[in-house]
Amino acid sequence: MSAITREDVAHLARLAHIRMDENELDKMSGELAFIMDAIASVSEVAGQDVPRTSHPIPLRNVFREDVPSGMLTQEQALAMAPDAEDGQFKVPAILDGE
C-alpha cells in the first residue's frame, strides 16, 4: 500500500482550502492510498507498446454547427407566459429600488 500519511492529506486539504476533521483525515489517507495502489496496478499492466491515453477510442467533434433555426416570433414566445408587458416577460421584482 502506498504511503499516504495523514499529514499528506492535511497538507493537501490546506492547499485546497478544504476543512477536514480528524476522522476525515484518517479516512481520506486510507482512501487515497487505495486509489494510488489501483493506479500503480494499472500502470504495471500497461506495457511499453501501449500508448497512454485518457480515452480508449479517438475523440471527434459530434456537435452540429450552431446555426439558428426554427425561431419563435415574439408573440409565440409570449403566448403561454403567465404575465407579459410591452412585448417582454413580466416577472416579480427581486431588487428593491434598483
Side-chain angles (χ1 to χ4, degrees):
M1 197 173 227
S2 298
I4 303 291
T5 66
R6 193 175 171 286
E7 290 72 30
D8 293 333
V9 176
H11 178 68
L12 291 171
R14 276 192 302 280
L15 291 174
H17 300 284
I18 298 173
R19 200 172 306 172
M20 298 181 85
D21 64 28
E22 302 300 316
N23 292 334
E24 291 171 323
L25 289 171
D26 292 334
K27 181 179 177 185
M28 189 59 65
S29 63
E31 289 180 2
L32 286 175
F34 182 78
I35 291 169
M36 296 289 288
D37 287 340
I39 292 170
S41 296
V42 170
S43 296
E44 289 172 9
V45 174
Q48 295 296 328
D49 59 332
V50 178
R52 294 178 182 218
T53 61
S54 60
H55 300 284
I57 57 175
L59 295 179
R60 62 181 178 85
N61 187 355
V62 295
F63 298 109
R64 64 172 168 75
E65 289 296 318
D66 191 11
V67 179
S69 65
M71 293 184 278
L72 299 174
T73 65
Q74 185 177 22
E75 292 78 26
Q76 290 171 320
L78 295 172
M80 297 296 289
D83 201 1
E85 182 177 293
D86 297 327
Q88 300 176 358
F89 294 101
K90 185 175 180 183
V91 297
I94 58 169
L95 303 174
D96 294 329
E98 292 186 30

